[in-house]
C-alpha cells in the first residue's frame, strides 16, 4: 500500500511540475526590447497601411512625437476601402486622381484592377443578364490580353465564372470570388503608391517578420538547438519579462 501511494505521489509531482525553459527562450527573455521602439514600429505600420485615425489615436496614447505627415495616407485608405467593398471603379478613379500616371506606368497593376472590376460585374450578374460583364471584358481587358499571354490566361479564367454556377466552381475559380483577392489587390495598390511617393513599399515590421522567419529557417537547416515552436512574442501580458505593447 505504501509503495502504491509513493508511486502515485511521484506521478502527480511529475505531471504538475513546471516544464523548464529552453536555453534559447531564456536568452530571448533576457533581451529587453524598449517599448518606445516597439510603439514606433506599430505607428509606422498604421501609417504605411493607411489607417490615419488609428495612427493619430495611437500616437497620442503612446506619447510619441508626431511623424512627418504622409499626404497620401487618407487617399490610400479610401482607395483600399473601395477595393475591399468591391467598388473598383471608384478605386481606379481615386487612384488616377491621386497619381495620374500610376496606372499607365504599371500595366500589371492596371490589369489586376480591371480584372477585379470584371469579377465584380460577373458577381453581380449571376442569374441575370451578363451583357455588361461581357462588354466590359471586350472593351477594357481583351485589347490588353491580346499582346500579353499571362493577361490572356487570367482573362479566360475569369470569363469561366460566367459558365459555371457558384456552387460548382473548382477551387481555383472559387478563389476569384473570395474576399482574399480584394485584400491582396488593395495591398498591391498600397505598395505601389507607397513606393512612388515614399520610396518604401511596406511597413518596417513586415520586413522584420520576414527577417525573423529567414533566421529561424537558416538555424533549423543548420541543426541549431531551437525549441520546436518559437512564438513571435506579440501577446499582451506575457510572462517573458517584456513590457506589453500599447494597443489601440
Amino acid at each position: 500500500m505504501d509503495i502504491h501511494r509513493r508511486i502515485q505521489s511521484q506521478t502527480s509531482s511529475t505531471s504538475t511540475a513546471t516544464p523548464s525553459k529552453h536555453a534559447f527562450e531564456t536568452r530571448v527573455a533576457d533581451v529587453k526590447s524598449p517599448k518606445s521602439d516597439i510603439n514606433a514600429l506599430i505607428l509606422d505600420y498604421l501609417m504605411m497601411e493607411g489607417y490615419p485615425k488609428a495612427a493619430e489615436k495611437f500616437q497620442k496614447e503612446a506619447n510619441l512625437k508626431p511623424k512627418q505627415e504622409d499626404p497620401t495616407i487618407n487617399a490610400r485608405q479610401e482607395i483600399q476601402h473601395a477595393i475591399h467593398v468591391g467598388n473598383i471603379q471608384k478605386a481606379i478613379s481615386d487612384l488616377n486622381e491621386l497619381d495620374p500616371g500610376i496606372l499607365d506606368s504599371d500595366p500589371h497593376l492596371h490589369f489586376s484592377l480591371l480584372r477585379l472590376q470584371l469579377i465584380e460585374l460577373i458577381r453581380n450578374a449571376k442569374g441575370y443578364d451578363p451583357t455588361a460583364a461581357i462588354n466590359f471584358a471586350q472593351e477594357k481587358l481583351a485589347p490588353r490580353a491580346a499582346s500579353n499571354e499571362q493577361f490572356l490566361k487570367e482573362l479566360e479564367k475569369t470569363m469561366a465564372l460566367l459558365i459555371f454556377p457558384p456552387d460548382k466552381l473548382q477551387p481555383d475559380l472559387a478563389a476569384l470570388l473570395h474576399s482574399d483577392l480584394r485584400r491582396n489587390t488593395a495591398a498591391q495598390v498600397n505598395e505601389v503608391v507607397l513606393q512612388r511617393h515614399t520610396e518604401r513599399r511596406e511597413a518596417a515590421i513586415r520586413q522584420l517578420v520576414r527577417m525573423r522567419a529567414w533566421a529561424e529557417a537558416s538555424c533549423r537547416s543548420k541543426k541549431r538547438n531551437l525549441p520546436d515552436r518559437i512564438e513571435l512574442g506579440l501577446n499582451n501580458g506575457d510572462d517573458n519579462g517584456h513590457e506589453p505593447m500599447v494597443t489601440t
Side-chain angles (χ1 to χ4, degrees), residues 34-248:
K35 185 164 66 175
S36 58
D37 289 352
I38 296 175
N39 288 342
L41 279 174
I42 297 173
L43 179 60
D44 176 74
Y45 173 83
L46 294 173
M47 294 286 289
M48 296 294 284
E49 294 295 311
Y51 298 106
K53 292 181 180 179
E56 182 180 3
K57 180 181 178 182
F58 180 81
Q59 185 173 284
K60 292 178 180 178
E61 290 185 357
N63 196 27
L64 295 172
K65 293 181 180 179
K67 292 189 65 174
Q68 184 177 359
E69 185 175 351
D70 177 3
T72 71
I73 186 170
N74 289 310
R76 286 189 289 112
Q77 182 191 40
E78 291 181 7
I79 292 168
Q80 289 186 87
H81 176 71
I83 296 173
H84 288 157
V85 299
N87 192 348
I88 313 306
Q89 181 56 53
K90 182 180 187 306
I92 292 175
S93 177
D94 290 350
L95 190 56
N96 280 324
E97 184 176 347
L98 173 65
D99 188 336
I102 190 169
L103 294 179
D104 290 337
S105 64
D106 196 329
H108 287 274
L109 179 64
H110 197 180
F111 188 85
S112 294
L113 283 167
L114 291 173
R115 186 180 72 140
L116 188 56
Q117 188 172 357
L118 173 61
I119 290 171
E120 298 303 332
L121 288 171
I122 293 174
R123 190 198 308 273
N124 295 331
K126 278 299 181 182
Y128 300 96
D129 186 2
T131 302
I134 294 173
N135 289 341
F136 183 84
Q138 291 175 336
E139 295 173 8
K140 300 294 185 180
L141 289 130
R144 291 174 169 82
S147 57
N148 188 302
E149 185 177 352
Q150 183 60 38
F151 289 176
L152 181 59
K153 289 180 180 178
E154 293 180 3
L155 177 56
E156 291 174 343
K157 181 178 177 180
T158 303
M159 295 303 290
L161 292 172
L162 288 171
I163 302 173
F164 304 102
D167 58 341
K168 301 293 184 181
L169 293 175
Q170 294 294 318
D172 60 333
L173 290 180
L176 297 178
L177 297 174
H178 197 277
S179 59
D180 282 350
L181 183 59
R182 290 178 178 177
R183 279 195 294 269
N184 293 339
T185 304
Q188 182 185 4
V189 170
N190 190 56
E191 288 179 3
V192 172
V193 173
L194 283 172
Q195 189 172 37
R196 284 174 66 90
H197 290 267
T198 68
E199 298 184 353
R200 290 176 58 193
R201 291 185 67 91
E202 60 185 2
I205 196 169
R206 292 188 182 275
Q207 298 173 347
L208 290 175
V209 170
R210 282 202 304 273
M211 188 182 299
R212 174 208 173 280
W214 170 84
E216 180 180 348
S218 178
C219 288
R220 291 195 187 282
S221 68
K222 296 176 182 178
K223 309 299 182 183
R224 303 297 188 191
N225 184 20
L226 295 176
D228 293 336
R229 177 180 173 83
I230 302 177
E231 301 291 343
L232 279 175
L234 298 180
N235 296 325
N236 285 338
D238 55 17
D239 59 356
N240 62 5
H242 295 273
E243 292 185 270
M245 293 186 296
V246 174
T247 57
T248 55

